Amino acid sequence: MDRLSKVCWFTKLDLRADSDEPKTTCVTRYGSYKFLVMPFGQTNALGTFCNLMNNVLFDYLDDFAFVYLDDIVIYSRTLEEHVNNLSLVLSQLRKYTLYVKMEKCEFAQ
């Protein structure tokens, strides 16, 4: 909470998993199946994803971003700073082919 005491601008991003569906495909003798959401019940799925997000946004964590699973909060003191921070995070997500669900995001609140 101490990091957020003087902040005025927030953006909430929610990651989309559509591009990762083929990675969860499993083939059985009855056909192919793929998860539409992350299979958190699988061994180490949650920990692996948390490590991925921490590695992707490592340079920004606790400076102007928080990550919890597939949710990212970006916070800033000024609007100009916020636009820059948002751009940095979105560029990093694009670099690692991670995408957001626009309908679940809230920008510059």
Side-chain angles (χ1 to χ4, degrees):
M1 292 305 290
D2 59 331
R3 295 191 186 278
L4 302 177
S5 65
K6 298 178 181 167
V7 212
C8 296
W9 296 95
F10 295 89
T11 290
K12 180 186 75 95
L13 304 176
D14 190 31
L15 293 182
R16 177 180 301 278
D18 293 351
S19 62
D20 292 332
E21 286 176 14
K23 297 175 188 169
T24 65
T25 301
C26 55
V27 180
T28 69
R29 64 182 175 172
Y30 305 109
S32 296
Y33 299 93
K34 61 184 174 183
F35 288 93
L36 298 179
V37 296
M38 179 177 284
F40 285 120
Q42 288 185 339
T43 303
N44 295 329
L46 183 59
T48 301
F49 188 76
C50 287
N51 284 338
L52 169 71
M53 292 309 300
N54 284 330
N55 289 336
V56 167
L57 297 176
F58 180 80
D59 293 336
Y60 312 133
L61 293 178
D62 295 330
D63 285 338
F64 59 83
F66 290 133
V67 178
Y68 179 72
L69 299 178
D70 65 341
D71 295 312
I72 302 167
V73 176
I74 302 163
Y75 54 93
S76 311
R77 291 182 183 201
T78 67
L79 183 57
E80 295 78 21
E81 179 183 39
H82 194 69
V83 170
N84 183 54
N85 294 344
L86 182 58
S87 176
L88 290 170
V89 169
L90 291 175
S91 295
Q92 195 70 354
L93 293 176
R94 180 181 294 150
K95 177 179 173 183
Y96 287 90
T97 62
L98 297 166
Y99 303 99
V100 297
K101 295 178 197 171
M102 288 299 292
E103 63 275 5
K104 292 185 81 178
C105 296
E106 297 177 26
F107 293 93
Q109 299 292 308

